[in-house]
Amino acid sequence: MSQKKKAQKTVAKKKTKMDTATKIIIAGLIIIAIPFLVLGMILLSDSMKTGTPITGDRFKNDLDPAITTEDLNQIESSLSALNGVEEVETVLKTATLRIYLDTEDSKDAESLKALAEEAYQKVTSILSESVYFSQHDNMKMYDLEIHAYNLKENRDSEAFSYVIASKSSSMDQFMVQVVSEAKDPELAQQLREEAEAKNNPTPTPDDSEMTVGGQEQETTEENTEDGEE
């Protein structure tokens, strides 16, 4: 075999080896790129869906019977007639009925508790507690909150009182809380004092003042001793 043919065969073998290596590199790059391509497609798909409302009812087969606008109007009319109530607002959001009672400023916490309990009885006389505010037949029903307060403004005042009567559909009976008062007054007072101390720290003399004061005291003592001598 001539040297020319040997050289051509060697070059052909080298080209074959380079082609194989290139294919391996390309295959590796493709394998590495696949997860990034999938992630990019997911992100692109999610971004295109942004702003699109999600349809469906999370309370499907629940909240039956439903509270209607007529029911809310009847509740507002009934509660407006309660003694000391100045304004009534009803808010029905998702599965919770919230009722806000703005009362006379003279109402204290105890009178607001009594008023909230009376309002609860009024509401459940219109919407039966066992039907609308209690789970039954494996069905989720409404939660009820009645908020009663005496001040719309100046809520930092000591005269401010706020009471909530509430019952979730999983509770056996409603409960009344005075949320404007701390459950642990001593702890609340301690926290207020700590916050006050943090916001308004007591000024302390700096090192220079202490040094000057010490020098003055030493000088005074020396003068006293000289006078005695």
Side-chain angles (χ1 to χ4, degrees):
M1 184 182 292
S2 66
Q3 292 183 352
K4 186 176 181 180
K5 288 184 177 180
K6 287 182 178 180
Q8 289 177 346
K9 193 172 183 180
T10 303
V11 170
K13 287 182 179 180
K14 288 183 179 179
K15 285 184 178 180
T16 304
K17 289 181 180 180
M18 290 179 62
D19 290 342
T20 302
T22 302
K23 289 178 181 179
I24 293 173
I25 292 172
I26 292 173
L29 291 175
I30 291 174
I31 293 172
I32 294 172
I34 286 174
F36 294 97
L37 291 173
V38 173
L39 179 61
M41 292 176 64
I42 293 172
L43 294 175
L44 179 61
S45 176
D46 289 343
S47 65
M48 292 177 66
K49 292 180 180 179
T50 301
T52 303
I54 300 175
T55 58
D57 186 359
R58 57 181 288 207
F59 296 109
K60 187 177 181 180
N61 300 324
D62 293 330
L63 307 179
D64 185 20
I67 297 175
T68 65
T69 302
E70 290 74 14
D71 294 329
L72 298 180
N73 292 338
Q74 187 178 354
I75 289 171
E76 290 185 5
S77 177
S78 178
L79 297 184
S80 296
L82 292 177
N83 184 34
V85 174
E86 297 179 339
E87 186 179 350
V88 179
E89 180 185 5
T90 57
V91 178
L92 182 60
K93 189 173 183 180
T94 56
T96 302
L97 172 59
R98 291 187 178 89
I99 300 172
Y100 298 91
L101 304 178
D102 179 17
T103 70
E104 296 173 348
D105 294 355
S106 59
K107 293 282 187 183
D108 58 12
E110 289 303 316
S111 59
L112 286 176
K113 285 173 64 178
L115 180 62
E117 292 176 6
E118 185 179 1
Y120 186 88
Q121 299 303 326
K122 288 279 188 183
V123 172
T124 52
S125 68
I126 298 171
L127 301 174
S128 173
E129 178 185 282
S130 61
V131 175
Y132 288 88
F133 305 111
S134 298
Q135 293 180 2
H136 55 82
D137 301 326
N138 296 322
M139 185 185 302
K140 177 174 175 57
M141 294 305 293
Y142 294 94
D143 299 335
L144 174 61
E145 296 179 5
I146 298 176
H147 300 244
Y149 52 89
N150 59 353
L151 299 178
K152 269 191 172 182
E153 301 177 352
N154 301 323
R155 293 193 169 186
D156 292 333
S157 166
E158 293 183 357
F160 174 62
S161 293
Y162 199 118
V163 169
I164 299 178
S166 61
K167 181 187 182 303
S168 69
S169 62
S170 61
M171 292 169 58
D172 293 330
Q173 59 183 7
F174 76 98
M175 60 182 296
V176 181
Q177 292 179 299
V178 182
V179 295
S180 57
E181 296 179 1
K183 290 185 177 181
D184 189 339
E186 293 183 359
L187 176 60
Q189 181 62 29
Q190 178 184 345
L191 294 175
R192 283 193 291 267
E193 291 175 355
E194 290 176 358
E196 179 67 20
K198 183 177 180 180
N199 295 330
N200 301 293
T202 303
T204 56
D206 57 26
D207 293 338
S208 61
E209 291 178 348
M210 293 176 67
T211 302
V212 171
Q215 289 178 347
E216 289 178 353
Q217 185 176 0
E218 290 177 0
T219 304
T220 303
E221 290 177 354
E222 289 177 358
N223 292 337
T224 303
E225 291 175 359
D226 291 343
E228 289 177 355
E229 291 176 356

